[in-house]
Amino acid sequence: MTSPDMEARCMEGTNVFYRNPALYDAVQSDTGSAETCLELIERHRPDATTLVDFGCGTGRDVEVLAKRYECVGVDLQPGMVEYARRVRPELDFRAGDMRTVRLWKRMDAVTCLGNSLAYVHDNYNIGRVFATFAAHARAGAILVLCSPVWPVTQPEPTQSTVDTPDGPASVTIRYAWDLRTQINTMHREWVFPAGERVSDEITRRVLFPRELEQYATAAGFEVVDMTDGPGMGLTGPVAYTVARYTR
């Protein structure tokens, strides 16, 4: 079994965003994930006042959620947490592994956005993550997850241009899908404005809707919604799962 420290170093070495949190903040600034999460919590637990976000990254979503809730953000990557504390010093960020971390407080809402759950690949550790969600949920709390429920299997590479703090960069993306392990791999080739070329690789576990429901139920949650976004139905490849803690 991979140790948390080894896994953190591995992820930091492969994902260009973990090596450059400021780039992550700039490229991912308009995802709308936090706003969608807010709407889902308001719909299913309108009286919520406290929230913990696991896999908070640079704290971009926590910054939005903290306008409505008393928030704590937790992330495995020390570099991300350090950046979040520096850029958003008014907010509460903690370094921790969502398989094992315990804050010893229960919240009205528990969130895990930005595909963070998908970086946990094996069944045993996914169960441990859901146990962590349960350990931080008070009775009736709402859990909101954003994770892939269907693989991306485009046969041809895609190319796009993204804005960075130094100007436009180009990125070429290729996808691979391993059905046996349910791992969707994204290979990226970056060309930055100064001409620097960087390659990275992202591996994400796809959990199909019934699997998500099974993990949630085993941890004491009842799934109340699964959707691409409020009022949008469920088509994938990424979905929001909303569940209520019943224990």
Side-chain angles (χ1 to χ4, degrees), residues 25-55:
D25 239 12
V27 172
Q28 301 290 334
S29 61
D30 296 319
T31 64
S33 183
E35 288 79 5
T36 299
C37 182
L38 273 171
E39 188 169 343
L40 290 169
I41 297 172
E42 287 293 326
R43 176 179 297 183
H44 295 284
R45 183 67 194 262
D47 61 337
T49 60
T50 57
L51 180 149
V52 56
D53 181 40
F54 291 103

Short mmCIF file of all heavy atoms in Angstrom, two decimals, residues 25-55:
data_model
loop_
_atom_site.label_atom_id
_atom_site.label_comp_id
_atom_site.label_asym_id
_atom_site.label_seq_id
_atom_site.Cartn_x
_atom_site.Cartn_y
_atom_site.Cartn_z
N ASP A 25 -4.62 28.07 -9.86
CA ASP A 25 -5.60 29.09 -9.51
C ASP A 25 -6.05 29.87 -10.74
O ASP A 25 -7.23 30.19 -10.89
CB ASP A 25 -5.00 30.05 -8.47
CG ASP A 25 -5.79 30.08 -7.19
OD1 ASP A 25 -6.65 29.21 -6.99
OD2 ASP A 25 -5.54 30.97 -6.36
N ALA A 26 -5.10 30.19 -11.61
CA ALA A 26 -5.41 30.99 -12.80
C ALA A 26 -6.21 30.19 -13.83
O ALA A 26 -7.22 30.65 -14.35
CB ALA A 26 -4.12 31.51 -13.43
N VAL A 27 -5.79 28.96 -14.10
CA VAL A 27 -6.41 28.15 -15.14
C VAL A 27 -7.80 27.68 -14.73
O VAL A 27 -8.72 27.60 -15.55
CB VAL A 27 -5.51 26.95 -15.50
CG1 VAL A 27 -6.22 26.00 -16.45
CG2 VAL A 27 -4.21 27.45 -16.12
N GLN A 28 -7.98 27.38 -13.43
CA GLN A 28 -9.24 26.82 -12.94
C GLN A 28 -10.14 27.88 -12.31
O GLN A 28 -11.03 27.53 -11.54
CB GLN A 28 -8.94 25.73 -11.90
CG GLN A 28 -8.10 24.59 -12.43
CD GLN A 28 -8.85 23.72 -13.41
OE1 GLN A 28 -10.07 23.64 -13.38
NE2 GLN A 28 -8.12 23.05 -14.28
N SER A 29 -9.95 29.13 -12.64
CA SER A 29 -10.65 30.20 -11.92
C SER A 29 -12.15 30.27 -12.21
O SER A 29 -12.91 30.85 -11.44
CB SER A 29 -10.00 31.55 -12.24
OG SER A 29 -10.10 31.83 -13.63
N ASP A 30 -12.62 29.69 -13.32
CA ASP A 30 -14.01 29.85 -13.72
C ASP A 30 -14.77 28.53 -13.82
O ASP A 30 -15.62 28.34 -14.68
CB ASP A 30 -14.09 30.58 -15.07
CG ASP A 30 -13.54 31.98 -15.00
OD1 ASP A 30 -13.80 32.66 -13.99
OD2 ASP A 30 -12.84 32.40 -15.94
N THR A 31 -14.48 27.58 -12.92
CA THR A 31 -15.13 26.27 -13.02
C THR A 31 -16.60 26.30 -12.60
O THR A 31 -17.39 25.49 -13.07
CB THR A 31 -14.39 25.24 -12.15
OG1 THR A 31 -14.49 25.64 -10.78
CG2 THR A 31 -12.93 25.14 -12.55
N GLY A 32 -16.97 27.19 -11.69
CA GLY A 32 -18.35 27.25 -11.21
C GLY A 32 -18.70 26.15 -10.23
O GLY A 32 -19.86 26.03 -9.81
N SER A 33 -17.72 25.35 -9.82
CA SER A 33 -18.00 24.22 -8.93
C SER A 33 -18.54 24.67 -7.59
O SER A 33 -19.50 24.09 -7.08
CB SER A 33 -16.72 23.41 -8.73
OG SER A 33 -16.95 22.28 -7.95
N ALA A 34 -17.95 25.70 -7.01
CA ALA A 34 -18.39 26.18 -5.70
C ALA A 34 -19.81 26.72 -5.76
O ALA A 34 -20.62 26.50 -4.84
CB ALA A 34 -17.43 27.23 -5.16
N GLU A 35 -20.12 27.44 -6.83
CA GLU A 35 -21.47 28.00 -6.97
C GLU A 35 -22.51 26.89 -7.10
O GLU A 35 -23.59 26.95 -6.51
CB GLU A 35 -21.54 28.93 -8.19
CG GLU A 35 -20.82 30.25 -8.01
CD GLU A 35 -19.31 30.14 -8.19
OE1 GLU A 35 -18.81 29.04 -8.56
OE2 GLU A 35 -18.62 31.15 -7.97
N THR A 36 -22.18 25.85 -7.86
CA THR A 36 -23.08 24.70 -7.98
C THR A 36 -23.26 24.02 -6.63
O THR A 36 -24.37 23.66 -6.24
CB THR A 36 -22.53 23.70 -9.00
OG1 THR A 36 -22.45 24.33 -10.28
CG2 THR A 36 -23.44 22.48 -9.10
N CYS A 37 -22.14 23.86 -5.91
CA CYS A 37 -22.19 23.25 -4.58
C CYS A 37 -23.09 24.07 -3.64
O CYS A 37 -23.91 23.51 -2.91
CB CYS A 37 -20.77 23.15 -4.03
SG CYS A 37 -20.66 22.37 -2.42
N LEU A 38 -22.93 25.39 -3.66
CA LEU A 38 -23.77 26.26 -2.84
C LEU A 38 -25.25 26.03 -3.12
O LEU A 38 -26.06 25.92 -2.20
CB LEU A 38 -23.41 27.73 -3.10
CG LEU A 38 -22.28 28.34 -2.32
CD1 LEU A 38 -21.93 29.71 -2.88
CD2 LEU A 38 -22.65 28.47 -0.85
N GLU A 39 -25.58 25.98 -4.40
CA GLU A 39 -26.99 25.82 -4.77
C GLU A 39 -27.53 24.47 -4.27
O GLU A 39 -28.67 24.39 -3.80
CB GLU A 39 -27.14 25.94 -6.28
CG GLU A 39 -28.59 25.96 -6.74
CD GLU A 39 -28.75 26.34 -8.20
OE1 GLU A 39 -27.78 26.88 -8.78
OE2 GLU A 39 -29.83 26.08 -8.75
N LEU A 40 -26.71 23.43 -4.37
CA LEU A 40 -27.16 22.10 -3.93
C LEU A 40 -27.33 22.03 -2.41
O LEU A 40 -28.28 21.43 -1.90
CB LEU A 40 -26.17 21.04 -4.41
CG LEU A 40 -26.17 20.80 -5.92
CD1 LEU A 40 -24.98 19.94 -6.33
CD2 LEU A 40 -27.47 20.15 -6.37
N ILE A 41 -26.42 22.66 -1.68
CA ILE A 41 -26.57 22.69 -0.22
C ILE A 41 -27.80 23.49 0.18
O ILE A 41 -28.57 23.08 1.05
CB ILE A 41 -25.31 23.27 0.45
CG1 ILE A 41 -24.09 22.37 0.18
CG2 ILE A 41 -25.52 23.38 1.96
CD1 ILE A 41 -22.77 22.97 0.63
N GLU A 42 -28.00 24.63 -0.47
CA GLU A 42 -29.17 25.46 -0.17
C GLU A 42 -30.46 24.70 -0.43
O GLU A 42 -31.45 24.86 0.28
CB GLU A 42 -29.13 26.74 -1.01
CG GLU A 42 -28.09 27.75 -0.57
CD GLU A 42 -28.40 28.35 0.79
OE1 GLU A 42 -29.61 28.52 1.10
OE2 GLU A 42 -27.46 28.63 1.54
N ARG A 43 -30.45 23.85 -1.44
CA ARG A 43 -31.64 23.08 -1.77
C ARG A 43 -31.93 21.99 -0.75
O ARG A 43 -33.09 21.75 -0.39
CB ARG A 43 -31.48 22.46 -3.16
CG ARG A 43 -32.63 21.56 -3.58
CD ARG A 43 -32.41 20.99 -4.97
NE ARG A 43 -32.36 22.05 -5.97
CZ ARG A 43 -32.22 21.82 -7.28
NH1 ARG A 43 -32.11 20.58 -7.72
NH2 ARG A 43 -32.19 22.82 -8.14
N HIS A 44 -30.87 21.33 -0.26
CA HIS A 44 -31.06 20.14 0.57
C HIS A 44 -30.78 20.36 2.06
O HIS A 44 -31.20 19.55 2.88
CB HIS A 44 -30.18 19.00 0.04
CG HIS A 44 -30.56 18.54 -1.32
ND1 HIS A 44 -31.65 17.74 -1.57
CD2 HIS A 44 -29.99 18.79 -2.54
CE1 HIS A 44 -31.74 17.50 -2.87
NE2 HIS A 44 -30.75 18.11 -3.48
N ARG A 45 -30.06 21.41 2.42
CA ARG A 45 -29.81 21.71 3.83
C ARG A 45 -29.68 23.23 3.98
O ARG A 45 -28.59 23.77 4.24
CB ARG A 45 -28.53 21.01 4.32
CG ARG A 45 -28.22 21.20 5.81
CD ARG A 45 -29.25 20.52 6.71
NE ARG A 45 -29.12 20.99 8.08
CZ ARG A 45 -28.45 20.35 9.05
NH1 ARG A 45 -27.85 19.20 8.79
NH2 ARG A 45 -28.41 20.83 10.27
N PRO A 46 -30.81 23.96 3.81
CA PRO A 46 -30.75 25.42 3.79
C PRO A 46 -30.32 26.05 5.10
O PRO A 46 -29.91 27.21 5.11
CB PRO A 46 -32.19 25.82 3.43
CG PRO A 46 -33.03 24.64 3.80
CD PRO A 46 -32.17 23.44 3.57
N ASP A 47 -30.38 25.30 6.22
CA ASP A 47 -29.99 25.86 7.50
C ASP A 47 -28.53 25.59 7.84
O ASP A 47 -28.08 25.89 8.95
CB ASP A 47 -30.89 25.30 8.61
CG ASP A 47 -30.77 23.78 8.75
OD1 ASP A 47 -30.36 23.13 7.76
OD2 ASP A 47 -31.09 23.26 9.83
N ALA A 48 -27.76 25.06 6.91
CA ALA A 48 -26.35 24.75 7.18
C ALA A 48 -25.56 26.02 7.49
O ALA A 48 -25.75 27.06 6.85
CB ALA A 48 -25.74 24.04 5.98
N THR A 49 -24.66 25.91 8.47
CA THR A 49 -23.81 27.05 8.83
C THR A 49 -22.33 26.68 8.86
O THR A 49 -21.48 27.57 8.84
CB THR A 49 -24.19 27.62 10.21
OG1 THR A 49 -24.03 26.60 11.21
CG2 THR A 49 -25.63 28.13 10.21
N THR A 50 -22.01 25.38 8.93
CA THR A 50 -20.61 24.96 9.00
C THR A 50 -20.31 23.97 7.88
O THR A 50 -21.19 23.21 7.47
CB THR A 50 -20.30 24.31 10.36
OG1 THR A 50 -21.18 23.19 10.57
CG2 THR A 50 -20.46 25.31 11.49
N LEU A 51 -19.06 23.98 7.40
CA LEU A 51 -18.70 23.16 6.24
C LEU A 51 -17.23 22.80 6.29
O LEU A 51 -16.38 23.62 6.67
CB LEU A 51 -19.01 23.94 4.95
CG LEU A 51 -18.74 23.28 3.60
CD1 LEU A 51 -19.75 23.78 2.56
CD2 LEU A 51 -17.33 23.54 3.09
N VAL A 52 -16.91 21.57 5.88
CA VAL A 52 -15.52 21.16 5.69
C VAL A 52 -15.38 20.67 4.25
O VAL A 52 -16.21 19.92 3.75
CB VAL A 52 -15.09 20.06 6.69
CG1 VAL A 52 -15.99 18.84 6.63
CG2 VAL A 52 -13.63 19.67 6.47
N ASP A 53 -14.32 21.15 3.59
CA ASP A 53 -14.06 20.79 2.19
C ASP A 53 -12.78 19.96 2.13
O ASP A 53 -11.70 20.45 2.47
CB ASP A 53 -13.91 22.05 1.34
CG ASP A 53 -13.66 21.73 -0.12
OD1 ASP A 53 -14.28 20.79 -0.63
OD2 ASP A 53 -12.83 22.42 -0.76
N PHE A 54 -12.89 18.70 1.70
CA PHE A 54 -11.74 17.81 1.58
C PHE A 54 -11.21 17.87 0.15
O PHE A 54 -11.97 17.82 -0.81
CB PHE A 54 -12.12 16.38 1.95
CG PHE A 54 -12.43 16.21 3.41
CD1 PHE A 54 -13.73 16.12 3.87
CD2 PHE A 54 -11.39 16.17 4.34
CE1 PHE A 54 -14.01 15.97 5.22
CE2 PHE A 54 -11.66 16.03 5.69
CZ PHE A 54 -12.97 15.93 6.14
N GLY A 55 -9.87 17.98 0.03
CA GLY A 55 -9.25 18.16 -1.27
C GLY A 55 -9.41 19.59 -1.75
O GLY A 55 -9.70 19.83 -2.93
#
